[in-house]
């Protein structure tokens, strides 16, 4: 693939990544989506358990549970995809994974400090393994940096 096309693809990915970061900031900080709850949950799976209990009891709309749980699972996957492609120094999993963990923790603490949500360990539990799994797939035999080079991002 020629240099010009690689640069074009990288620019497109960088623009999409910037849009993702703006959407992420909106979702995390600009609108209070916590239903007015502002607190700290450090007990693993408490929020997930509460959602599922309320769902079983018929006290919550299933779409709210689905949106919250699925949203947390998918929220940081683009970060795990874009960072190693756009920033070569992050192509080592032992560099990228701690950065993703730090970003998620910073987002959770910031939501609490700015009173736009809660600091919930369940959000970290739902977010981090997805990023970890996605990065693992990047470094696997099936999807690696040779693949990235083939599609023009290296």
């Amino acid at each position: 693939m020629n240099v010009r096309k690689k640069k074009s693809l990288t620019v497109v990915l960088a623009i999409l990544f910037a849009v993702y970061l703006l959407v992420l900031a909106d979702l995390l900080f600009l609108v209070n989506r916590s239903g007015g709850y502002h607190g700290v949950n450090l007990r693993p799976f408490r929020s997930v358990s509460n959602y599922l209990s309320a769902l079983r009891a018929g006290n919550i709309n299933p779409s709210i549970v689905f949106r919250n749980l699925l949203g947390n699972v998918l929220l940081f996957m683009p970060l795990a995809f874009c960072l190693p492609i756009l920033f070569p120094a992050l192509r080592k999993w032992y560099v990228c994974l701690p950065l993703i963990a730090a970003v998620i923790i910073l987002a959770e603490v910031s939501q609490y400090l700015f009173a736009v949500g809660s600091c919930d360990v369940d959000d970290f539990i739902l977010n981090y393994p997805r990023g970890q799994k996605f990065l693992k797939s990047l470094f696997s035999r099936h999807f690696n940096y040779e693949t990235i080079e083939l599609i023009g991002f290296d």
Side-chain angles (χ1 to χ4, degrees):
M1 180 170 296
N2 68 35
V3 175
R4 188 173 175 199
K5 187 170 182 180
K6 285 181 186 182
K7 284 184 180 183
S8 297
L9 286 171
T10 302
V11 168
V12 168
L13 182 63
I15 291 168
L16 290 173
F17 185 62
V19 170
Y20 160 74
L21 291 176
L22 290 172
V23 170
L24 185 65
D26 177 56
L27 289 171
L28 293 176
F29 304 115
L30 299 181
V31 178
N32 188 342
R33 288 174 166 70
S34 65
Y37 176 72
H38 175 70
V40 177
N41 170 35
L42 297 178
R43 196 170 86 200
F45 301 107
R46 174 194 244 167
S47 297
V48 173
S49 176
N50 288 345
Y51 271 121
L52 296 177
S53 294
L55 184 63
R56 270 182 271 170
N59 296 332
I60 193 168
N61 186 328
S63 69
I64 293 171
V65 175
F66 181 75
R67 223 177 348 182
N68 185 284
L69 296 179
L70 185 64
N72 274 316
V73 167
L74 299 176
L75 195 60
F76 287 94
M77 282 182 74
L79 193 67
F81 176 75
C82 293
L83 285 177
I85 294 173
L86 293 173
F87 304 99
L90 297 175
R91 291 188 179 165
K92 294 175 176 62
W93 65 267
Y94 53 84
V95 176
C96 197
L97 282 178
L99 177 62
I100 290 171
V103 168
I104 295 168
I105 291 168
L106 180 65
E108 289 301 313
V109 171
S110 297
Q111 283 182 321
Y112 176 74
L113 292 176
F114 295 124
V116 293
S118 63
C119 180
D120 192 343
V121 70
D122 288 352
D123 289 347
F124 180 82
I125 291 169
L126 291 169
N127 284 320
Y128 185 68
R130 295 306 114 213
Q132 185 178 17
K133 184 173 182 169
F134 190 77
L135 270 179
K136 184 180 176 187
S137 73
L138 281 178
F139 290 100
S140 75
R141 290 179 288 130
H142 304 292
F143 188 85
N144 55 32
Y145 285 105
E146 291 171 4
T147 307
I148 291 170
E149 186 175 308
L150 284 175
I151 60 175
F153 286 110
D154 196 26

